[in-house]
Amino acid sequence: MNSDVKIFKDKQVLADVVTDDLRNSLRNQTGNFRLALAGGSTPRTIYEQWATIRDNSLWSKVHFFWGDERCVPPDDRDSNYKMAYDSVLSKIKISDNQIHRIHGEANPEVEVLRYANEIKEHFRMTSSFPQFDWILLGIGTDGHTLSLFPNSEALKEQSSICVVSQHPQTGQKRISLTLPVISNAQKITFLVIGQEKAQVVHGILTSNGKSVNYPAAQISPKSGILQWYLDEAAARLL
Ligand code: 6PG
């Protein structure tokens, strides 16, 4: 697996670099830039830094998707959409049709089909899976990514674009992109901050993560690049 691992002093330096990456990608992009956002708490600092990009001509290219969503309303504190809206979407000039949120408030079995259709229509797909320009990912201490948890049926899904899953501890229903969609992306970047993630990062990057059944270790880019952006705390066991 061609993984590119970069280690940064702290989360603000990491956020600055991801912002530079986004700005440069958009400058070089002709046409739409399809971006799938990570959820959880890690990306907040990064998305807040994105709000410093003031060139509306760059933002006009971006179509925001979500890698996963909790099945809660969009104004719920648990919503990945709300986190992104509060951090950056509410601070930049973009039109509603650039935002492709997962409807966490809907029936999950209905929404999983609707979101997949929205993706198919947007990408005018000719192959089985969309190719996102950039998919951002977080990772849990159990090695889950998006809402693909260890030993879950959702993780095994190889034909659908997205899937209904459930948090193993809380039982919270989730909608998540599937492994083949992630692996089909042009660029996949894990954003990992904090010492509590050091063990799982070590387990994946220094040994065959598959041996400890980490879902994140099963991501293998078909043709794109896989990056790990870590702060020093998350990288301390490397
Ligand atoms: C979610 C994410 C999930 C997250 C990890 C890490 O919806 O929660 O998709 O995969 O990235 O659980 O979460 P933290 O960034 O909060 O540690």
Side-chain angles (χ1 to χ4, degrees):
M1 186 195 314
N2 59 332
S3 294
D4 165 24
V5 180
K6 289 190 173 66
I7 299 169
F8 304 97
K9 179 175 173 301
D10 58 30
K11 67 179 176 179
Q12 188 54 53
V13 173
L14 188 153
D16 293 345
V17 171
V18 176
T19 303
D20 290 344
D21 287 357
L22 177 62
R23 185 186 291 110
N24 295 334
S25 296
L26 294 178
R27 283 177 176 157
N28 296 327
Q29 181 81 5
T30 51
N32 290 336
F33 188 85
R34 286 86 169 237
L35 174 62
L37 298 179
S41 58
T42 296
R44 185 184 296 274
T45 305
I46 294 156
Y47 298 164
E48 287 169 347
Q49 193 60 29
W50 285 3
T52 64
I53 299 176
R54 308 308 306 166
D55 181 346
N56 292 329
S57 69
L58 298 181
W59 288 121
S60 67
K61 300 177 183 179
V62 184
H63 280 262
F64 293 91
F65 294 82
W66 275 257
D68 73 329
E69 185 57 279
R70 291 80 178 273
C71 292
V72 295
D75 59 354
D76 188 294
R77 61 192 299 243
D78 241 14
S79 164
N80 287 336
Y81 165 78
K82 176 176 173 25
M83 189 272 280
Y85 180 82
D86 293 347
S87 310
V88 58
L89 301 181
S90 57
K91 301 170 184 172
I92 60 175
K93 188 171 180 301
I94 51 172
S95 57
D96 290 347
N97 68 12
Q98 291 175 259
I99 294 178
H100 307 269
R101 76 176 180 91
I102 300 169
H103 297 171
E105 68 276 24
N107 174 324
E109 301 302 334
V110 173
E111 177 55 17
V112 72
L113 301 173
R114 188 209 64 79
Y115 188 52
N117 285 331
E118 179 164 357
I119 291 172
K120 286 176 189 168
E121 283 168 20
H122 177 82
F123 281 83
R124 299 196 187 97
M125 281 168 49
T126 52
S127 60
S128 310
F129 298 107
Q131 185 175 47
F132 283 92
D133 293 289
W134 197 6
I135 293 186
L136 297 175
L137 299 174
I139 191 167
T141 53
D142 62 355
H144 80 261
T145 190
L146 298 185
S147 288
L148 303 175
F149 297 99
N151 311 309
S152 64
E153 288 307 306
L155 179 62
K156 298 171 190 162
E157 178 56 50
Q158 289 295 322
S159 56
S160 303
I161 290 173
C162 48
V163 68
V164 178
S165 79
Q166 196 163 18
H167 192 287
Q169 278 78 46
T170 67
Q172 185 184 59
K173 285 282 182 78
R174 306 281 189 91
I175 304 276
S176 180
L177 294 178
T178 55
L179 271 185
V181 173
I182 300 170
S183 297
N184 205 40
Q186 290 212 27
K187 182 161 81 171
I188 307 158
T189 304
F190 276 99
L191 306 168
V192 192
I193 290 167
Q195 65 174 6
E196 71 278 7
K197 305 288 176 75
Q199 192 62 46
V200 66
V201 165
H202 174 271
I204 292 177
L205 292 182
T206 58
S207 64
N208 176 357
K210 290 182 179 65
S211 63
V212 287
N213 196 27
Y214 289 140
Q218 296 183 35
I219 290 171
S220 174
K222 270 181 66 178
S223 59
I225 59 169
L226 173 59
Q227 301 175 312
W228 288 79
Y229 278 15
L230 313 170
D231 72 349
E232 287 176 353
R236 67 185 171 85
L237 298 177
L238 294 183

